[in-house]
Amino acid sequence: EDQVTQSPEALRLQEGESSSLNCSYTVSGLRGLFWYRQDPGKGPEFLFTLYSAGEEKEKERLKATLTKKESFLHITAPKPEDSATYLCAVQAPGGATNKLIFGTGTLLAVQP
Amino acid sequence: GAGVSQTPSNKVTEKGKYVELRCDPISGHTALYWYRQSLGQGPEFLIYFQGTGAADDSGLPNDRFFAVRPEGSVSTLKIQRTERGDSAVYLCASSPGPNNEQFFGPGTRLTVL
């Protein structure tokens, strides 16, 4: 069964304290791995798509990396405005479906 | 440009009532998805439309749930005989094609009393 597990569930950082969020996945054949940011009361906001092991993408203080079993979202020198829930999702192959399978997210709090 | 919009933003109903939730996708996006998100959980897939047809409805929990997209743009999620367990945020997403990233709307928070 396709599955996504994110850790830690919650993370508290001081402003400027770099860290990484983990997304482990089990899927029969990965078509894409997606990172989203979700603020309270809002829908998920797209950040990155990764397609193959070794691929990396960067956006401001965020960098996403991918291996055959997991993805990391590295946050460098975070600021309070980076506080949000970060969601990881995989898109599995197979037939007509293009659904995303999400993890439960990591709640990040960055304190000034 | 305009993103995905959903109406209403909040809906409170009584157990047993019928509700309709509306999604306006990004203009030109052929793929449309409905997800449901409970507190502390990630979004859970319900149904996927490519154009007017439901290409995958495997996530609909039971036959009380139904969705349509008659003209390949706006979609409506319909829930009959609502139950308290249906309370959640219902998210809509659209993408330019089936293999592109999905862009989400703000969601409709459904509360069944």
Side-chain angles (χ1 to χ4, degrees), chain B residues 6-59:
Chain B
Q6 293 186 246
T7 54
S9 55
N10 281 283
K11 176 71 177 178
V12 180
T13 191
E14 294 180 344
K15 181 175 179 294
K17 299 290 188 183
Y18 168 83
V19 296
E20 290 189 351
L21 311 179
R22 176 186 168 109
C23 172
D24 281 84
I26 294 171
S27 178
H29 281 194
T30 60
L32 185 145
Y33 308 80
W34 284 98
Y35 292 83
R36 177 167 72 174
Q37 187 173 27
S38 300
L39 192 63
Q41 301 297 312
E44 178 186 23
F45 171 78
L46 296 176
I47 187 169
Y48 154 57
F49 287 90
Q50 182 56 45
T52 60
D56 181 2
D57 64 358
S58 63

Side-chain angles (χ1 to χ4, degrees), chain B:
Chain B
V4 177
S5 62
Q6 293 186 246
T7 54
S9 55
N10 281 283
K11 176 71 177 178
V12 180
T13 191
E14 294 180 344
K15 181 175 179 294
K17 299 290 188 183
Y18 168 83
V19 296
E20 290 189 351
L21 311 179
R22 176 186 168 109
C23 172
D24 281 84
I26 294 171
S27 178
H29 281 194
T30 60
L32 185 145
Y33 308 80
W34 284 98
Y35 292 83
R36 177 167 72 174
Q37 187 173 27
S38 300
L39 192 63
Q41 301 297 312
E44 178 186 23
F45 171 78
L46 296 176
I47 187 169
Y48 154 57
F49 287 90
Q50 182 56 45
T52 60
D56 181 2
D57 64 358
S58 63
L60 295 178
N62 51 60
D63 61 5
R64 295 187 296 106
F65 288 74
F66 189 71
V68 296
R69 195 186 185 200
E71 297 178 357
S73 178
V74 170
S75 176
T76 304
L77 178 65
K78 308 179 180 190
I79 310 174
Q80 298 177 322
R81 305 183 304 280
T82 52
E83 299 177 356
R84 293 193 179 90
D86 298 335
S87 296
V89 175
Y90 288 81
L91 294 164
C92 176
S94 70
S95 65
N99 296 314
N100 302 97
E101 51 270 16
Q102 298 175 21
F103 296 92
F104 284 81
T108 293
R109 180 174 297 279
L110 175 66
T111 303
V112 182
L113 301 178

Side-chain angles (χ1 to χ4, degrees), chain A:
Chain A
E1 181 184 348
D2 300 330
Q3 196 168 1
V4 176
T5 302
Q6 292 189 246
S7 62
E9 291 185 4
L11 180 63
R12 182 172 294 181
L13 300 174
Q14 291 296 124
E15 185 172 1
E17 179 186 2
S18 301
S19 189
S20 297
L21 312 182
N22 178 264
C23 171
S24 298
Y25 63 90
T26 305
V27 66
S28 52
L30 184 69
R31 285 170 56 191
L33 185 139
F34 301 78
W35 282 98
Y36 286 85
R37 168 190 172 130
Q38 187 171 29
D39 292 297
K42 298 192 175 181
E45 175 189 346
F46 171 74
L47 294 174
F48 303 109
T49 310
L50 301 167
Y51 293 103
S52 57
E55 189 174 0
E56 297 183 354
K57 288 192 177 174
E58 286 188 66
K59 178 181 179 180
E60 296 181 354
R61 296 177 291 282
L62 301 177
K63 183 169 84 171
T65 62
L66 181 65
T67 72
K68 290 185 178 180
K69 294 183 178 180
E70 58 192 348
S71 177
F72 290 94
L73 185 65
H74 306 278
I75 304 176
T76 302
K79 298 182 178 182
E81 53 261 43
D82 294 322
S83 298
T85 295
Y86 290 86
L87 294 165
C88 171
V90 297
Q91 191 174 46
T97 190
N98 292 291
K99 67 182 180 184
L100 295 179
I101 301 165
F102 282 87
T104 54
T106 293
L107 176 61
L108 175 66
V110 181
Q111 297 183 317

